[in-house]
Amino acid sequence: MEERTSAQPDVPWPQSIGEFEALIDAMQHKLVQFAFCRLRSREDAEDAVQEVLVQAYRDREKHRAVANAVPFLFRMVANRSTDVLRRRKHEGGPLEDCAAGLEARGLGAQEAAEAARRQRWIEESLERLPRRQSEAIRLRVYGELPFEAVAQAMGCSVPTVKSRFRYGIQKLRRVLKRQGGER
Amino acid sequence: MTCRQVQERLVDVPDMEVRAHLAGCEDCAREYAAIQAVLASIRPPARIEASPDFKARVMSKLTEREAPVRRRWVLPRLVFVAGAVLLLVLLAPVVGNLIGNFGGRGHAPASVVSLLAQSAQAMAGARSVHMIARMRTTPRENFEFIDPTMDWVPMEIWSEAGPPARWRVEKPGRVAAMDGTSSMLVIKPDTVSRGNARANYLEWMRILLDTDQLMEKELELARSGNSSASLAEENAAGARQLVLSVAFHPRRWFSTDWVMDRSVSSSDHTRTYRFDPVTRRLEGMQMVMHTRGVDVPVFEITEVRYDEVFDAGLFALAAPDNAISYVDAEQMPVAGPLPQSPKEAAVMLFDALSREDWEAARVVYPATGFNESFKRMFGGLQVIAMGEPFRSSFYPGWYVPYEIRLRSGQVRKMNLAVKNDNRVGRWVWDGGL
């Protein structure tokens, strides 16, 4: 798989409005995409990322020593997404405008509906895995983070995160086979 | 390379060594292809981007004031009591014996005990708890110190379930952390104290580290007669909340009220905890001090976050360069006779400071040295008057009234705290400069 972010330099936690603006420029699409894969709603994804970014700025002093803010932002978005899903489950609201979100992105209606159906299927498959394994896979695949950054986000070592990822993929294979083949 | 070694590396982008193995090993090549197929099947089917106005929306939020505390609970006490009674009457048919109200040496209703068990279980399931809080205090004072006349000082509390359990508590001028085996306190900029995992750097605030036991501990306090507690369900902004109120009435020992309203343990106050009625997790807390007929909020937990992943470094404090360390009484130097009473300790300390004899000052002051700002402030001071020592409330030591003139000309009139509750019974400075 491609290492799309591994060559990127570390991004220190922004301490000024200017640095923060640069961070949004660099990260907004990746973070929204990451949240969208899980939440399947553009509105919820943007709200979650907005809350995380605002919180990241308000807490900037406490994170001053963080060498690379990127993994932590993904982790914060993952946590916020979990909260949203929990609240959604509690409130019973399905709120799935995934297809609409994708149409807004420029896909045709049929194409968007198929992509939405597929994303839902991916998430349902991942939800069958142990939480830490699915977290590692989401950060790696949805977030396109290198293993070093996934390890930072999850607060564990690189070998541990690779091991979680590998076991997760193995279990996913079994899940997919039970569901009728690796689609 | 063995097949096992290669298969452990198949989730990585294959390097030359792995590629060479795959070229000659059918089993590993098949495994690699299967992994790639799974990865391809879960790759997001479409990419989405943030809306064009997303950045502008985020930036506009930055300049907004931070959200105020969710609810303001400060009510005149009479209204509070009347409201609580009304609430009991209104909710009684709905929640039945869920509501408990007891104090003194009573017994909690069985339903309340059951509820507490559920809450403890819910919070014990949390891997970590992160509290955002604020306190009316000074940045560098101990974590027990509150002052209703002060502005809010931000605080944060992180705790991680074990084993080993770890925690960190921080405000702008003081941070304490326990990394599982030892703890450290840093008083900024350069003073440090080291202790074991049980070192009591947090005083009252320690109760907040064990959120799973919080409700039980509070109600245990009520049973022992040190406070009275009530449990109720409330509706706030359309959401149900489980509210535990603990009215704390400190014992008024000794002859003066010097420490009254200066610390959590010595102030008359009400602690109100809000719990999610479904998850049973703590959502927030407010402490309102009742002082001179006025109710003043002095401590608030405005946000509680569960199951965050903390960086391992969060719990490992590094001592600042050239740090000055607090030391135990038995490690302090002995240069001549030691003070035999609280007043003698105060006299010896002020005498040493007035002469700028820093080694002599360390006979009473339990630290490895003094920083330059301390020396500039207290070096060469003049003693104007010394009073008779007194005790107050729960504090194990004595207070010695003093009036001094600093080299800057400023006159300071306060009480020096000294105590000898250490293993060698030595009188040492404990605060009040």
Side-chain angles (χ1 to χ4, degrees):
Chain A
M1 114 172 261
E2 289 176 90
E3 293 279 347
R4 298 186 192 187
T5 57
S6 59
Q8 291 178 355
D10 285 353
V11 180
W13 209 279
Q15 297 296 312
S16 65
I17 294 276
E19 289 171 0
F20 187 74
E21 203 171 354
L23 179 78
I24 296 179
D25 285 338
M27 298 301 302
Q28 58 176 335
H29 300 311
K30 288 176 183 172
L31 291 173
V32 169
Q33 162 81 10
F34 179 66
F36 179 80
C37 288
R38 185 101 186 273
L39 299 175
R40 306 198 296 272
S41 155
R42 172 194 283 273
E43 190 183 346
D44 280 356
E46 290 194 353
D47 284 351
V49 175
Q50 176 176 304
E51 284 173 26
V52 162
L53 289 170
V54 171
Q55 193 66 46
Y57 185 73
R58 286 182 178 159
D59 291 346
R60 61 194 180 281
E61 181 57 37
K62 121 182 140 187
H63 298 301
R64 183 182 283 276
V66 172
N68 187 8
V70 173
F72 293 93
L73 291 174
F74 275 97
R75 177 69 211 175
M76 289 166 79
V77 172
N79 285 341
R80 192 72 68 175
S81 300
T82 302
D83 291 343
V84 171
L85 289 171
R86 199 176 289 148
R87 194 174 63 230
R88 210 186 271 175
K89 190 175 176 183
H90 178 56
E91 292 170 355
L95 198 67
E96 290 189 23
D97 69 341
C98 185
L102 292 167
E103 272 189 72
R105 172 76 183 89
L107 296 183
Q110 196 175 349
E111 205 180 354
E114 171 56 24
R117 187 197 63 75
R118 187 171 171 75
Q119 186 58 48
R120 180 178 184 158
W121 169 79
I122 293 170
E123 261 306 298
E124 285 172 354
S125 303
L126 286 173
E127 278 164 16
R128 290 166 186 254
L129 304 185
R131 187 178 47 77
R132 286 178 178 168
Q133 292 175 9
S134 59
E135 271 179 9
I137 292 174
R138 284 193 188 97
L139 288 163
R140 174 80 174 146
V141 178
Y142 293 173
E144 300 175 348
L145 295 177
F147 280 118
E148 289 73 15
V150 177
Q152 280 179 295
M154 296 185 71
C156 58
S157 67
V158 173
T160 300
V161 95
K162 282 186 178 178
S163 162
R164 286 176 185 168
F165 185 83
R166 197 172 71 246
Y167 285 127
I169 293 293
Q170 284 170 358
K171 282 188 187 151
L172 207 48
R173 277 172 71 184
R174 291 197 288 273
V175 168
L176 299 183
K177 271 182 187 165
R178 277 202 299 274
Q179 288 177 348
E182 293 166 3
R183 306 185 211 188
Chain B
M1 285 185 95
T2 65
C3 290
R4 187 191 171 112
Q5 286 171 324
V6 167
Q7 290 189 9
E8 281 177 359
R9 290 166 60 176
L10 288 183
V11 294
D12 281 318
V13 177
D15 57 20
M16 196 180 293
E17 205 175 6
V18 172
R19 282 202 300 272
H21 182 95
L22 293 178
C25 176
E26 204 172 309
D27 286 347
C28 288
R30 197 164 36 243
E31 181 68 14
Y32 179 69
I35 289 173
Q36 292 305 308
V38 173
L39 289 174
S41 71
I42 61 169
R43 200 158 285 144
R47 298 191 71 79
I48 192 165
E49 291 188 348
S51 305
D53 64 342
F54 178 76
K55 179 180 163 186
R57 278 189 279 137
V58 175
M59 296 305 287
S60 72
K61 291 278 176 194
L62 293 191
T63 50
E64 283 182 7
R65 281 172 60 84
E66 289 195 31
V69 180
R70 290 176 195 169
R71 287 178 57 215
R72 185 167 179 81
W73 298 318
V74 184
L75 295 170
R77 295 177 87 179
L78 196 58
V79 176
F80 182 84
V81 172
V85 171
L86 182 63
L87 186 75
L88 286 170
V89 173
L90 290 176
L91 290 181
V94 182
V95 297
N97 60 0
L98 186 71
I99 300 172
N101 192 334
F102 51 99
R105 296 182 185 281
H107 295 284
S111 57
V112 172
V113 173
S114 161
L115 186 66
L116 293 176
Q118 290 170 30
S119 177
Q121 193 178 14
M123 288 193 282
R127 283 179 298 135
S128 69
V129 181
H130 179 188
M131 298 180 185
I132 315 296
R134 59 182 190 168
M135 191 181 229
R136 291 193 192 280
T137 185
T138 59
R140 298 178 77 238
E141 259 291 1
N142 63 57
F143 290 113
E144 173 89 30
F145 180 79
I146 46 178
D147 185 337
T149 66
M150 294 280 183
D151 284 335
W152 291 110
V153 169
M155 297 187 74
E156 284 192 275
I157 301 160
W158 297 264
S159 61
E160 191 174 76
R166 303 186 293 180
W167 54 258
R168 176 184 177 118
V169 178
E170 183 164 11
K171 58 179 178 172
R174 176 178 285 243
V175 53
M178 197 277 286
D179 63 6
T181 54
S182 62
S183 53
M184 183 186 277
L185 170 72
V186 176
I187 304 167
K188 295 173 186 176
D190 56 9
T191 306
V192 167
S193 177
R194 294 176 176 85
N196 60 27
R198 294 189 305 280
N200 186 20
Y201 293 135
L202 302 181
E203 295 97 7
W204 164 83
M205 199 165 282
R206 197 173 183 87
I207 193 173
L208 298 177
L209 299 178
D210 302 316
T211 46
D212 54 327
Q213 296 172 38
L214 186 57
M215 290 180 88
E216 281 193 82
K217 282 182 180 173
E218 286 288 19
L219 289 158
E220 197 57 47
L221 266 178
R223 287 194 197 100
S224 69
N226 288 320
S227 63
S228 55
S230 65
L231 197 58
E233 283 207 357
E234 286 183 3
N235 271 304
R240 282 191 312 139
Q241 288 181 330
L242 187 61
V243 177
L244 171 71
S245 294
V246 180
F248 182 73
H249 313 294
R251 292 181 189 171
R252 291 173 187 263
W253 302 336
F254 308 121
S255 56
T256 82
D257 281 348
W258 165 246
V259 298
M260 296 307 296
D261 297 347
R262 288 171 187 270
S263 73
V264 172
S265 307
S266 64
S267 67
D268 194 339
H269 66 258
T270 300
R271 305 196 276 263
T272 306
Y273 299 92
R274 289 181 294 113
F275 295 85
D276 184 302
V278 176
T279 65
R280 299 290 193 248
R281 283 181 165 181
L282 182 70
E283 287 194 321
M285 181 260 202
Q286 187 185 51
M287 180 185 294
V288 175
M289 184 192 283
H290 312 300
T291 175
R292 303 173 203 281
V294 181
D295 292 343
V296 185
V298 289
F299 178 70
E300 292 177 343
I301 297 171
T302 55
E303 190 178 346
V304 185
R305 303 175 193 165
Y306 293 93
D307 296 330
E308 286 184 338
V309 175
F310 301 141
D311 183 71
L314 184 71
F315 304 105
L317 292 184
D321 290 341
N322 305 316
I324 291 161
S325 297
Y326 283 126
V327 295
D328 293 335
E330 48 269 56
Q331 297 170 296
M332 293 168 68
V334 178
L338 298 177
Q340 299 300 310
S341 68
K343 190 166 186 178
E344 214 173 294
V347 168
M348 285 176 72
L349 178 61
F350 284 132
D351 178 58
L353 296 179
S354 69
R355 292 185 286 106
E356 298 185 68
D357 184 342
W358 307 111
E359 275 308 296
R362 287 182 56 220
V363 171
V364 178
Y365 196 91
T368 53
F370 300 89
N371 63 29
E372 289 308 311
S373 69
F374 183 97
K375 288 179 178 177
R376 273 197 304 277
M377 178 174 281
F378 293 105
L381 63 79
Q382 288 179 300
V383 176
I384 299 170
M386 299 275 290
E388 289 307 310
F390 66 89
R391 305 189 76 181
S392 184
S393 193
F394 71 97
Y395 182 61
W398 291 71
Y399 295 98
V400 184
Y402 69 87
E403 187 174 358
I404 56 174
R405 181 177 289 106
L406 302 177
R407 189 177 269 158
S408 65
Q410 182 196 351
V411 172
R412 182 173 287 213
K413 191 174 180 178
M414 283 181 69
N415 297 313
L416 195 76
V418 290
K419 63 178 185 177
N420 70 339
D421 62 345
N422 48 65
R423 273 179 288 188
V424 291
R426 180 166 172 167
W427 287 102
V428 298
W429 169 89
D430 193 40
L433 271 177

